[in-house]
Amino acid sequence: MATDPHAAMLQAALALQQQGNFKEARRKYESIIARDPRNFNALQLCGVVAIQQEAYRDAVKLIRRALALRSNDAPVLTNLGVAHHKLGQIAEALDCFDKAITVKPDFASAHHNRANLLREAKRHAEARKSYDQALALQPDNALIHANYASLLYDLHEYQAALQALHKALALRPDYHPAYFRKGEILLELNRPENARTAFENALALRPDDTQAQNLLAQALGALGRRKEADIALRRAITLMTGTDKKAEIIQATCAAVNKANLLPAVYQTEAEICERRAELLADLHQAHAMLIEAAPHSATASAAFKTVAYGTTGFYIAYQQENDLQPNRLLSECLTHMLAIPDRPAREGPRKPGPIRFGIASENLYRHNGASWALPWMRQLPPDYQFFSYAFHGIHDDVSEGFAALGMQRRLSFDTTALSKTIATIHADDLDFLMLPDIGMTPSSRILSLHRIAPVQFSAWGHPVTSGSPVMDFYLSSDLMEQDDAASHYSETLIRLPNLALYLEPASTIPPAKDFPLPEGRVLYGCLQSLFKYLPRYDDILPRIAAEVPRALFVFIEGMSPHMTGITRARLETGFAKAGLSAAEHVVFLPRMSGAEFDALTRRMDILVDSLGWSGGNSTLGAIEAGVPLITCPGAFMRGRHSYAMFRMMDMPSAIARDTDEMVRKLVALGQEPDRRRAMREELGQRKEALYADKSLIAALDGFLKDQFAKL
């Protein structure tokens, strides 16, 4: 640069660029280029400024002109790759990074940018390798560690991601994105107190970060600090909207809809359930009225509404164990208005020729209770279907690979920036059927359920409750799990498939035994369901059993947060004290554990106490497979009748109680009589075959699909 006749002007432009004055810097670079069109430094630096201005097409043109003068410059090739990446030109960007690495194998920036590109393209194994190469060259680069953590987050390798973020923050304690990502991961790990601290650290560095404010609200909600959570959300929306009258309407609407996210996971009293439900319904009615009558539809309003909508599941509505048709219908209507979802036909032209096209979309298309049950459905259908799976995650396991093996699998992004593209991608596949197996478990499932993408759209029992969405046509349920009046529980048309509506096969392996800190000589009653399945109205059952079985020890698993465990423990202490007993003598909470450990713990139990109102599903199947005695009592809704249906199909009334009194009597008898437990273990072993390989289900499913296809 010293021999360049324009060196002084280049230095001035570079100083402006470093100060962030990109407009003036670019003007100076362009002035040099006008005088000297072959000035390599001005061309490549002007290209960098164009990237910083987000003028990516200009950047490509400028950098290509520089490379025409000096083709083997690794930093310039890398910058061209960045510009192509920003334009979504993946193949061109990757070619640039590869050329840069060929020219200069130890150029860490090329490896790093290559890794970022591959991560966004869902090519996770290749991305991991490139991050490893970048870190080997620059182990003290905080940005590489933080971006590597994002890859690990995508793969749900949360502990490894936290370690990478720890390294990033040790190198750069003021790095805001690392605190934000740390908070996201800690929320996923159900550590809301730690997540709160991470988001507060992020906000200390960038107080105007609306997304951090929004996630701080979620962390506070998980801690039961509902008023503080509401304040945090309102602060986030205020940052986006300002404080005028229209902004107040937007804020009030967002706060009202967000009440669906602030429902408690566990309740202290039955009265609290009634209060929270009444409050939720009132808030949703209020939000719906404001959205119809007064809420503005500006860019500002849209951004604020998306902030709330993209964090909404309504997951805990169902755990109040009431008929959820009304709240879910209201929630769906509110979100549809907030996201301005158009009413559009699934097809705007003739159907593409070919076999029946069946799609499934979920964040949980891996070994997860929300969707893994759907894989046998699809595998067992006859060969006249073409399958598409849309996975909004980066996990690779036997189930995700099973879905991929069925046909076309697309790994897509699902966030505010990618939603339109993702829906357009699915829509372009011209599906006949779209199954959303777990509506209400994730924000993506809730939002996707509001869009008309296929002529026939349906859900099933990954999350066994109605979606409330007018564009979900059917709910495919189990005939044995539904009562006669069950159609009134669904906004969708209810389809009763035979038996359990599950195609099951025996377990191929037995989990290895594991030692648990449990005392010898006690009768172990497993209460192993998620704590939010246990309502206060049933707290007296365990003390009643303990009064008759003095050696009874009730084994729970800690909740997803200390807050959940604390409320449940306090309720049990109160219930046992009322019965003149000590919860400390009869109740133990074990730490949360892996799936294999859970299976081993199930086998360690003498008896299992099914959770009333929302019974075990996969956990009951595991208990039956392991031959562990279990007593259930059917509830009012499908979600409270899973175990009941299984024992009906097995013709095993000994495991079913008519009411809570009979449930207590049966559980006491099993606790008092080891011979009765042994007999039930033998009976489970003899009868479990009735659950497996239900061909009648597949025939009915195939018949339903083809009947609907004939109407298209």
Side-chain angles (χ1 to χ4, degrees), residues 40-115:
F40 172 81
N41 289 322
L43 286 165
Q44 64 96 3
L45 287 171
C46 193
V48 172
V49 170
I51 292 173
Q52 292 168 322
Q53 290 182 307
E54 301 182 3
Y56 302 120
R57 295 189 185 281
D58 292 346
V60 168
K61 293 176 183 178
L62 289 160
I63 297 172
R64 283 197 178 281
R65 288 175 63 185
L67 286 168
L69 301 169
R70 195 181 301 173
S71 61
N72 289 330
D73 189 298
V76 179
L77 282 163
T78 300
N79 288 335
L80 180 60
V82 169
H84 279 305
H85 183 186
K86 294 294 186 181
L87 288 168
Q89 298 166 350
I90 304 304
E92 293 88 342
L94 192 59
D95 181 61
C96 290
F97 298 141
D98 288 342
K99 286 179 179 176
I101 291 167
T102 300
V103 170
K104 189 175 174 58
D106 62 348
F107 190 50
S109 179
H111 290 286
H112 182 201
N113 280 285
R114 185 178 192 274

Coordinates of all heavy atoms in Angstrom, one line a residue, residues 40-115:
F40 N -6.3 -3.0 -6.8 CA -6.7 -4.2 -6.1 C -7.2 -3.9 -4.7 O -8.3 -4.4 -4.3 CB -5.5 -5.2 -6.1 CG -5.8 -6.4 -5.2 CD1 -6.5 -7.5 -5.6 CD2 -5.3 -6.5 -3.9 CE1 -6.7 -8.6 -4.8 CE2 -5.5 -7.5 -3.1 CZ -6.3 -8.6 -3.5
N41 N -6.4 -3.1 -4.0 CA -6.8 -2.8 -2.6 C -8.1 -2.1 -2.5 O -9.0 -2.4 -1.7 CB -5.7 -2.0 -1.9 CG -4.4 -2.8 -1.7 OD1 -4.5 -3.9 -1.3 ND2 -3.3 -2.2 -1.9
A42 N -8.3 -1.1 -3.4 CA -9.6 -0.3 -3.3 C -10.8 -1.2 -3.7 O -11.9 -1.2 -3.1 CB -9.5 0.8 -4.3
L43 N -10.6 -2.1 -4.7 CA -11.7 -3.0 -5.1 C -12.1 -4.0 -4.0 O -13.2 -4.1 -3.6 CB -11.2 -3.8 -6.3 CG -11.2 -3.0 -7.6 CD1 -10.5 -3.8 -8.7 CD2 -12.7 -2.7 -8.1
Q44 N -11.1 -4.6 -3.4 CA -11.4 -5.7 -2.4 C -11.9 -5.0 -1.1 O -12.8 -5.5 -0.4 CB -10.2 -6.6 -2.1 CG -9.0 -6.0 -1.5 CD -8.9 -6.2 0.0 OE1 -9.7 -6.8 0.6 NE2 -7.8 -5.6 0.6
L45 N -11.3 -3.8 -0.7 CA -11.8 -3.2 0.5 C -13.2 -2.6 0.3 O -14.1 -2.6 1.2 CB -10.9 -2.1 0.9 CG -9.5 -2.6 1.6 CD1 -8.6 -1.4 1.7 CD2 -9.8 -3.2 2.9
C46 N -13.5 -2.1 -0.9 CA -14.8 -1.6 -1.2 C -15.8 -2.7 -1.2 O -17.0 -2.6 -0.7 CB -14.8 -0.9 -2.6 SG -16.3 0.1 -2.9
G47 N -15.4 -3.9 -1.6 CA -16.2 -5.1 -1.5 C -16.6 -5.4 -0.1 O -17.7 -5.8 0.2
V48 N -15.6 -5.3 0.8 CA -15.8 -5.6 2.2 C -16.8 -4.6 2.8 O -17.8 -4.9 3.6 CB -14.5 -5.5 3.0 CG1 -14.8 -5.6 4.5 CG2 -13.6 -6.7 2.6
V49 N -16.7 -3.3 2.4 CA -17.6 -2.3 2.9 C -19.1 -2.6 2.4 O -20.0 -2.5 3.1 CB -17.2 -0.9 2.5 CG1 -18.3 0.1 2.7 CG2 -16.0 -0.4 3.2
A50 N -19.1 -3.1 1.1 CA -20.5 -3.4 0.6 C -21.1 -4.5 1.4 O -22.3 -4.6 1.6 CB -20.3 -3.8 -0.9
I51 N -20.3 -5.5 1.8 CA -20.8 -6.6 2.7 C -21.3 -6.0 4.0 O -22.4 -6.3 4.5 CB -19.7 -7.6 3.0 CG1 -19.4 -8.4 1.7 CG2 -20.2 -8.6 4.1 CD1 -18.2 -9.4 1.9
Q52 N -20.6 -5.0 4.6 CA -21.0 -4.4 5.8 C -22.2 -3.6 5.7 O -23.0 -3.4 6.6 CB -19.8 -3.5 6.4 CG -18.6 -4.4 6.8 CD -17.4 -3.5 7.1 OE1 -17.1 -2.6 6.3 NE2 -16.6 -3.9 8.1
Q53 N -22.5 -3.1 4.4 CA -23.7 -2.3 4.1 C -24.8 -3.3 3.7 O -25.9 -2.8 3.5 CB -23.4 -1.3 3.0 CG -22.5 -0.2 3.4 CD -22.4 0.7 2.2 OE1 -22.0 0.3 1.1 NE2 -22.6 2.0 2.4
E54 N -24.6 -4.6 3.7 CA -25.5 -5.6 3.2 C -25.9 -5.4 1.8 O -27.0 -5.8 1.3 CB -26.8 -5.6 4.1 CG -26.5 -5.9 5.6 CD -27.7 -5.9 6.4 OE1 -28.8 -5.8 5.9 OE2 -27.6 -6.1 7.7
A55 N -25.0 -4.8 1.0 CA -25.1 -4.7 -0.5 C -24.3 -5.8 -1.1 O -23.3 -5.6 -1.7 CB -24.6 -3.3 -0.9
Y56 N -24.9 -7.0 -1.0 CA -24.1 -8.2 -1.3 C -23.8 -8.4 -2.8 O -22.8 -8.9 -3.2 CB -24.8 -9.4 -0.7 CG -25.0 -9.3 0.8 CD1 -26.3 -9.4 1.4 CD2 -23.9 -9.1 1.7 CE1 -26.5 -9.3 2.7 CE2 -24.1 -9.0 3.1 CZ -25.4 -9.1 3.6 OH -25.5 -8.9 4.9
R57 N -24.8 -8.0 -3.6 CA -24.5 -8.2 -5.0 C -23.4 -7.2 -5.5 O -22.6 -7.6 -6.3 CB -25.8 -7.9 -5.8 CG -26.9 -8.9 -5.5 CD -28.1 -8.8 -6.4 NE -29.2 -9.7 -6.0 CZ -29.2 -11.0 -6.3 NH1 -28.2 -11.6 -7.0 NH2 -30.2 -11.8 -5.9
D58 N -23.4 -6.0 -5.0 CA -22.3 -5.1 -5.3 C -21.0 -5.7 -4.8 O -20.0 -5.6 -5.5 CB -22.6 -3.7 -4.6 CG -23.7 -3.0 -5.2 OD1 -24.2 -3.4 -6.3 OD2 -24.2 -2.0 -4.5
A59 N -21.0 -6.3 -3.6 CA -19.8 -6.9 -3.1 C -19.3 -8.0 -4.0 O -18.0 -8.0 -4.2 CB -20.1 -7.5 -1.7
V60 N -20.1 -8.8 -4.5 CA -19.7 -9.9 -5.4 C -19.0 -9.3 -6.6 O -17.9 -9.7 -7.0 CB -20.9 -10.8 -5.8 CG1 -20.5 -11.7 -7.0 CG2 -21.3 -11.6 -4.6
K61 N -19.6 -8.3 -7.2 CA -19.0 -7.6 -8.4 C -17.7 -7.0 -8.1 O -16.7 -7.2 -8.9 CB -20.0 -6.6 -9.0 CG -21.3 -7.1 -9.5 CD -22.2 -6.0 -9.9 CE -23.5 -6.5 -10.4 NZ -24.5 -5.4 -10.8
L62 N -17.5 -6.3 -7.0 CA -16.3 -5.6 -6.7 C -15.2 -6.6 -6.3 O -14.0 -6.5 -6.8 CB -16.5 -4.7 -5.5 CG -17.3 -3.4 -5.7 CD1 -17.9 -2.9 -4.5 CD2 -16.4 -2.4 -6.5
I63 N -15.5 -7.7 -5.6 CA -14.5 -8.6 -5.2 C -14.1 -9.5 -6.4 O -12.9 -9.8 -6.5 CB -15.0 -9.5 -4.0 CG1 -15.3 -8.6 -2.8 CG2 -14.0 -10.6 -3.6 CD1 -16.0 -9.3 -1.6
R64 N -15.0 -9.8 -7.2 CA -14.6 -10.5 -8.4 C -13.6 -9.7 -9.3 O -12.7 -10.3 -9.9 CB -15.8 -10.9 -9.3 CG -16.6 -12.1 -8.7 CD -17.6 -12.7 -9.7 NE -18.3 -13.8 -9.2 CZ -17.8 -15.0 -9.0 NH1 -16.6 -15.3 -9.4 NH2 -18.5 -16.0 -8.6
R65 N -13.8 -8.4 -9.4 CA -12.9 -7.6 -10.1 C -11.5 -7.6 -9.4 O -10.5 -7.6 -10.1 CB -13.4 -6.1 -10.2 CG -14.6 -6.0 -11.1 CD -15.1 -4.5 -11.1 NE -14.2 -3.6 -11.5 CZ -14.3 -2.2 -11.5 NH1 -15.5 -1.8 -11.0 NH2 -13.4 -1.4 -11.9
A66 N -11.5 -7.6 -8.1 CA -10.2 -7.7 -7.4 C -9.5 -9.0 -7.7 O -8.3 -9.1 -7.9 CB -10.4 -7.5 -5.9
L67 N -10.3 -10.1 -7.7 CA -9.7 -11.5 -7.9 C -9.3 -11.6 -9.3 O -8.4 -12.5 -9.6 CB -10.8 -12.5 -7.5 CG -11.0 -12.7 -6.0 CD1 -12.2 -13.6 -5.8 CD2 -9.8 -13.4 -5.4
A68 N -9.8 -10.9 -10.3 CA -9.4 -10.9 -11.6 C -7.9 -10.4 -11.7 O -7.2 -10.8 -12.6 CB -10.3 -10.1 -12.5
L69 N -7.6 -9.6 -10.7 CA -6.2 -9.0 -10.7 C -5.3 -9.9 -9.9 O -4.1 -10.0 -10.1 CB -6.2 -7.6 -10.1 CG -7.1 -6.6 -10.8 CD1 -7.2 -5.4 -10.0 CD2 -6.5 -6.3 -12.2
R70 N -5.8 -10.6 -8.9 CA -5.0 -11.4 -8.0 C -5.9 -12.6 -7.5 O -6.5 -12.5 -6.5 CB -4.5 -10.6 -6.8 CG -3.4 -11.2 -6.0 CD -3.0 -10.4 -4.8 NE -2.5 -9.0 -5.2 CZ -2.3 -8.0 -4.4 NH1 -2.4 -8.2 -3.1 NH2 -1.9 -6.8 -4.9
S71 N -5.8 -13.7 -8.2 CA -6.8 -14.8 -8.1 C -6.5 -15.7 -6.8 O -7.4 -16.4 -6.4 CB -6.8 -15.7 -9.3 OG -5.5 -16.3 -9.5
N72 N -5.3 -15.7 -6.3 CA -5.0 -16.6 -5.3 C -4.8 -15.9 -3.9 O -3.9 -16.2 -3.2 CB -3.7 -17.4 -5.6 CG -3.9 -18.4 -6.7 OD1 -5.0 -18.9 -6.9 ND2 -2.9 -18.6 -7.5
D73 N -5.7 -15.0 -3.6 CA -5.6 -14.3 -2.3 C -6.7 -14.9 -1.4 O -7.9 -14.8 -1.6 CB -5.9 -12.8 -2.6 CG -5.7 -12.0 -1.3 OD1 -6.3 -12.2 -0.3 OD2 -4.8 -11.1 -1.4
A74 N -6.3 -15.7 -0.4 CA -7.2 -16.4 0.5 C -8.2 -15.5 1.2 O -9.4 -15.8 1.3 CB -6.4 -17.3 1.5
P75 N -7.8 -14.4 1.8 CA -8.7 -13.5 2.5 C -9.8 -13.0 1.5 O -11.0 -12.9 1.9 CB -7.9 -12.4 3.1 CG -6.5 -13.0 3.3 CD -6.4 -13.9 2.1
V76 N -9.4 -12.6 0.3 CA -10.3 -12.0 -0.6 C -11.3 -13.1 -1.1 O -12.5 -12.9 -1.3 CB -9.6 -11.4 -1.8 CG1 -10.6 -10.8 -2.8 CG2 -8.7 -10.2 -1.3
L77 N -10.8 -14.3 -1.4 CA -11.7 -15.4 -1.7 C -12.7 -15.7 -0.6 O -13.9 -16.0 -0.9 CB -10.8 -16.7 -2.0 CG -10.1 -16.8 -3.3 CD1 -9.0 -17.8 -3.3 CD2 -11.1 -17.1 -4.5
T78 N -12.2 -15.6 0.6 CA -13.1 -15.8 1.7 C -14.2 -14.8 1.8 O -15.4 -15.1 2.0 CB -12.3 -15.8 3.1 OG1 -11.4 -16.9 3.0 CG2 -13.2 -16.1 4.3
N79 N -13.8 -13.5 1.6 CA -14.8 -12.4 1.5 C -15.8 -12.6 0.4 O -17.0 -12.4 0.6 CB -14.1 -11.1 1.4 CG -13.4 -10.6 2.6 OD1 -13.7 -11.1 3.7 ND2 -12.4 -9.8 2.4
L80 N -15.4 -13.1 -0.7 CA -16.3 -13.4 -1.8 C -17.3 -14.5 -1.4 O -18.5 -14.5 -1.6 CB -15.6 -13.8 -3.1 CG -16.5 -14.2 -4.3 CD1 -17.4 -13.0 -4.7 CD2 -15.6 -14.6 -5.5
G81 N -16.8 -15.5 -0.7 CA -17.6 -16.6 -0.1 C -18.7 -16.1 0.8 O -19.8 -16.5 0.8
V82 N -18.3 -15.1 1.7 CA -19.2 -14.5 2.6 C -20.3 -13.8 1.9 O -21.5 -14.0 2.2 CB -18.5 -13.5 3.6 CG1 -19.5 -12.7 4.4 CG2 -17.5 -14.3 4.5
A83 N -20.0 -13.1 0.8 CA -21.0 -12.4 0.1 C -22.0 -13.3 -0.6 O -23.2 -13.2 -0.6 CB -20.4 -11.5 -1.0
H84 N -21.4 -14.4 -1.2 CA -22.3 -15.4 -1.8 C -23.2 -16.1 -0.8 O -24.4 -16.3 -1.0 CB -21.5 -16.5 -2.5 CG -21.0 -16.1 -3.9 ND1 -21.8 -15.7 -4.9 CD2 -19.7 -16.0 -4.4 CE1 -21.1 -15.4 -6.0 NE2 -19.8 -15.6 -5.7
H85 N -22.6 -16.3 0.4 CA -23.4 -17.0 1.5 C -24.6 -16.1 1.9 O -25.7 -16.5 2.0 CB -22.5 -17.2 2.7 CG -23.1 -17.8 3.9 ND1 -22.5 -18.0 5.1 CD2 -24.3 -18.4 4.0 CE1 -23.3 -18.6 5.9 NE2 -24.4 -18.9 5.3
K86 N -24.3 -14.8 2.0 CA -25.4 -13.8 2.4 C -26.5 -13.8 1.3 O -27.7 -13.5 1.6 CB -24.8 -12.4 2.6 CG -23.9 -12.3 3.8 CD -24.6 -12.5 5.1 CE -23.7 -12.3 6.3 NZ -24.4 -12.5 7.6
L87 N -26.1 -14.1 0.0 CA -27.1 -14.1 -1.0 C -27.8 -15.4 -1.1 O -28.7 -15.6 -2.0 CB -26.4 -13.7 -2.4 CG -26.0 -12.3 -2.5 CD1 -25.1 -12.1 -3.7 CD2 -27.2 -11.4 -2.7
G88 N -27.5 -16.4 -0.3 CA -28.1 -17.7 -0.3 C -27.5 -18.6 -1.4 O -28.1 -19.6 -1.8
Q89 N -26.3 -18.2 -2.0 CA -25.7 -18.9 -3.1 C -24.7 -19.9 -2.5 O -23.5 -19.7 -2.4 CB -25.1 -18.0 -4.1 CG -26.1 -17.0 -4.7 CD -25.4 -15.8 -5.4 OE1 -24.2 -15.6 -5.3 NE2 -26.2 -15.1 -6.2
I90 N -25.2 -21.0 -2.0 CA -24.5 -21.9 -1.2 C -23.3 -22.6 -1.9 O -22.2 -22.6 -1.4 CB -25.4 -23.0 -0.6 CG1 -26.6 -22.4 0.2 CG2 -24.6 -24.0 0.3 CD1 -26.2 -21.4 1.3
A91 N -23.6 -23.1 -3.1 CA -22.6 -23.8 -3.9 C -21.4 -22.8 -4.2 O -20.2 -23.2 -4.1 CB -23.1 -24.4 -5.1
E92 N -21.7 -21.6 -4.6 CA -20.7 -20.6 -5.0 C -19.9 -20.2 -3.7 O -18.6 -20.1 -3.8 CB -21.3 -19.4 -5.6 CG -22.0 -19.6 -6.9 CD -23.4 -20.0 -6.8 OE1 -23.8 -20.5 -5.7 OE2 -24.2 -19.9 -7.8
A93 N -20.6 -20.1 -2.6 CA -19.9 -19.7 -1.4 C -18.9 -20.8 -0.9 O -17.7 -20.6 -0.6 CB -20.9 -19.4 -0.2
L94 N -19.4 -22.1 -1.0 CA -18.6 -23.2 -0.6 C -17.3 -23.3 -1.5 O -16.2 -23.6 -1.0 CB -19.4 -24.5 -0.6 CG -18.8 -25.7 0.1 CD1 -18.5 -25.4 1.5 CD2 -19.7 -26.9 -0.1
D95 N -17.5 -23.1 -2.8 CA -16.4 -23.1 -3.7 C -15.4 -22.1 -3.3 O -14.2 -22.4 -3.4 CB -16.9 -22.9 -5.1 CG -15.8 -23.0 -6.2 OD1 -15.2 -24.1 -6.3 OD2 -15.6 -22.0 -6.8
C96 N -15.8 -20.9 -3.0 CA -14.8 -19.8 -2.6 C -14.1 -20.2 -1.3 O -12.8 -20.1 -1.3 CB -15.6 -18.5 -2.3 SG -16.2 -17.8 -3.8
F97 N -14.7 -20.8 -0.3 CA -14.0 -21.1 0.9 C -13.1 -22.3 0.6 O -11.9 -22.3 1.2 CB -15.1 -21.6 2.0 CG -16.0 -20.4 2.4 CD1 -17.3 -20.7 2.7 CD2 -15.5 -19.1 2.5 CE1 -18.2 -19.7 3.1 CE2 -16.4 -18.1 2.9 CZ -17.7 -18.4 3.2
D98 N -13.5 -23.2 -0.2 CA -12.6 -24.4 -0.5 C -11.3 -23.9 -1.3 O -10.2 -24.3 -1.0 CB -13.3 -25.4 -1.3 CG -14.3 -26.2 -0.5 OD1 -14.2 -26.2 0.7 OD2 -15.2 -26.8 -1.1
K99 N -11.5 -22.9 -2.2 CA -10.4 -22.4 -2.9 C -9.5 -21.6 -2.0 O -8.2 -21.7 -2.1 CB -10.9 -21.4 -4.0 CG -11.4 -22.2 -5.2 CD -11.9 -21.2 -6.3 CE -12.5 -21.9 -7.5 NZ -13.0 -20.9 -8.5
A100 N -10.0 -20.9 -1.0 CA -9.2 -20.1 -0.1 C -8.4 -21.1 0.8 O -7.2 -20.9 1.1 CB -10.1 -19.3 0.8
I101 N -9.0 -22.2 1.2 CA -8.3 -23.2 2.0 C -7.2 -23.9 1.2 O -6.1 -24.2 1.7 CB -9.3 -24.2 2.6 CG1 -10.2 -23.5 3.6 CG2 -8.6 -25.4 3.2 CD1 -11.4 -24.3 4.0
T102 N -7.4 -24.1 -0.1 CA -6.4 -24.7 -1.0 C -5.2 -23.8 -1.1 O -4.1 -24.2 -1.1 CB -7.0 -25.0 -2.4 OG1 -8.1 -25.9 -2.3 CG2 -6.0 -25.6 -3.3
V103 N -5.5 -22.5 -1.3 CA -4.4 -21.5 -1.4 C -3.7 -21.4 -0.1 O -2.4 -21.3 0.0 CB -5.0 -20.1 -1.8 CG1 -4.0 -19.0 -1.7 CG2 -5.6 -20.2 -3.2
K104 N -4.4 -21.4 1.0 CA -3.8 -21.1 2.4 C -4.5 -22.1 3.4 O -5.4 -21.7 4.0 CB -4.0 -19.7 2.8 CG -3.2 -19.2 4.0 CD -3.3 -17.7 4.2 CE -2.7 -17.3 5.5 NZ -1.2 -17.6 5.6
P105 N -4.0 -23.3 3.5 CA -4.6 -24.3 4.4 C -4.7 -23.9 5.8 O -5.6 -24.4 6.5 CB -3.7 -25.5 4.2 CG -3.0 -25.3 2.9 CD -2.8 -23.9 2.8
D106 N -3.9 -23.0 6.3 CA -3.9 -22.6 7.7 C -4.7 -21.3 7.9 O -4.5 -20.6 8.9 CB -2.5 -22.4 8.2 CG -1.7 -21.3 7.5 OD1 -2.1 -20.9 6.4 OD2 -0.6 -21.0 8.0
F107 N -5.5 -20.9 6.9 CA -6.3 -19.7 7.0 C -7.6 -20.0 7.8 O -8.6 -20.5 7.3 CB -6.6 -19.1 5.7 CG -7.2 -17.7 5.7 CD1 -6.6 -16.7 6.4 CD2 -8.4 -17.4 5.0 CE1 -7.2 -15.4 6.5 CE2 -8.9 -16.1 5.0 CZ -8.3 -15.1 5.8
A108 N -7.6 -19.6 9.1 CA -8.7 -20.0 10.0 C -10.0 -19.4 9.6 O -11.0 -20.1 9.7 CB -8.3 -19.6 11.4
S109 N -10.0 -18.2 9.1 CA -11.2 -17.6 8.7 C -12.0 -18.3 7.7 O -13.2 -18.4 7.7 CB -10.9 -16.1 8.2 OG -12.1 -15.5 7.9
A110 N -11.3 -18.9 6.7 CA -11.9 -19.7 5.6 C -12.6 -20.9 6.2 O -13.7 -21.3 5.9 CB -10.9 -20.1 4.6
H111 N -11.9 -21.6 7.1 CA -12.5 -22.8 7.8 C -13.7 -22.4 8.6 O -14.7 -23.1 8.6 CB -11.4 -23.5 8.7 CG -10.3 -24.1 8.0 ND1 -10.4 -25.3 7.3 CD2 -9.0 -23.8 7.8 CE1 -9.3 -25.7 6.8 NE2 -8.4 -24.8 7.1
H112 N -13.6 -21.3 9.3 CA -14.7 -20.8 10.2 C -15.9 -20.5 9.4 O -17.0 -20.9 9.7 CB -14.2 -19.6 11.0 CG -15.2 -19.1 11.9 ND1 -15.2 -17.8 12.4 CD2 -16.3 -19.6 12.5 CE1 -16.2 -17.6 13.2 NE2 -16.9 -18.7 13.3
N113 N -15.7 -19.7 8.3 CA -16.9 -19.3 7.5 C -17.4 -20.5 6.8 O -18.7 -20.6 6.6 CB -16.4 -18.2 6.5 CG -16.4 -16.9 7.1 OD1 -17.4 -16.2 7.3 ND2 -15.2 -16.4 7.4
R114 N -16.6 -21.5 6.4 CA -17.1 -22.7 5.8 C -18.0 -23.5 6.8 O -19.0 -24.0 6.4 CB -15.9 -23.6 5.3 CG -16.3 -24.8 4.6 CD -15.0 -25.6 4.1 NE -15.3 -26.6 3.2 CZ -15.7 -27.9 3.5 NH1 -15.8 -28.2 4.8 NH2 -15.9 -28.7 2.6
A115 N -17.5 -23.5 8.0 CA -18.3 -24.2 9.1 C -19.7 -23.5 9.3 O -20.7 -24.2 9.4 CB -17.5 -24.2 10.4

